Amino acid sequence: MKTHRTTRPLKVALLGYGTVGKSVARILDERVDEVTLAAILMRPGYTPSDVRMTDSYETIVCDPTIDVVVECMGGLEPAHEYLLRALLAGKHVVTSNKAVVAAYFADFVSAGEKSGAALRIEACVGGGIPWIAGIEKAKRIDAITSFYGIMNGTTNYIVYSMQKDGTDFAEALGKAQELGYAEREPSADIDGFDVCAKTVISATVAFDTLCTTAVPTSGIRNLTRRDLAFFSNHGRTVKLFGHGVCEDGRYAVAVEPVAVPIESLESHVVSNFNMISLTGATIGELKFYGQGAGGNPTANAVVQDIIDVARGNYPVYPCARADAPALRYDPDLLRSSYVIRTNAAIPDSTVYEPGAYVVHDITAVQARELLEGALKTDSTSFMAALGERDQS
């Protein structure tokens, strides 16, 4: 990590004034003296409530006094255009938008290197958890060989509520939406796409390679109380995991529900909290635990990044450069046994519970293909990997 020094307080422009953006603005105004929030980009037609509000991005990107552009808008466009223009203009970028970073990581790094601007992405993964910072520190000594864990507070809240209150999936999802953990259109969370973006970012930073975006991805949309009950019969509960493995110039990544042993720490992660682990040669296994959804935790991570920029701490991402050595994607590095609850026929399987079947020792890619085949016959099919123990 390079260290640079600024000679005056930084002026920040905030793009997006939703749940996270409002929390960022409040924290900056109330708790941070070395940074000034100078502009807030709003959608056209907004009702002004702050003199700093504007609907003109052109005014922001062309203002030479704006040092940092902070993006909390979400989505791919116009976020991609805005961040790329900011970096090319020499403005540092801090973002909580995991979708746009996962899709355009290399473009952003290249633009920042041309202009000398920093890209900081702590808030993209794990809410308030210092996960990206933890990876960067661990890498100073160790090669990271694996990471895994709960990266989405919304889905963890849903599963936790189903277990604690005995509610069905739809009711737990509705409560998550009321609390602001889930969006009105929740597919990014419940179908695993949010975790997929976070997994791509984590692998890119941890393994020093541009991670494929073709990640085998399954979510919890079809999880039922019955599923939780029969996994409980086997001493397990379900958590949605993102995970990656790196070994001998190869790597693999996946997003999928995992039936973890009830004695594991991950099984006891409550509400909207996350728990993500990494493994290094000398540090062993490190676990990071904290709130993974909600305005304040994510905003805290955003503001931490802003403070790092103000203090001259700029990350370096050689993995995103065009000349960086590429690792080979090898699905065989991620193998497990999988349980599929379905009315469809599952080849080479044995009965796990009535109506649920286990297939042993297949890759995450093969498992996803099996699930896709089952869904064509039974749209309510659900699949989970069996987490480490005895695979039974």
Side-chain angles (χ1 to χ4, degrees), residues 63 66 75 104-105 146 153 161 212 234 237 243 285 328:
D63 184 345
I66 297 293
Y104 297 106
F105 204 142
S146 68
S161 295
T212 178
H234 293 259
T237 191
H243 42 192
E285 185 176 66
R328 180 170 63 88

Side-chain angles (χ1 to χ4, degrees), residues 304-320:
Q304 292 283 1
D305 271 352
I306 297 170
I307 293 171
D308 272 335
V309 171
R311 296 180 181 178
N313 297 325
Y314 300 174
V316 175
Y317 297 118
C319 49

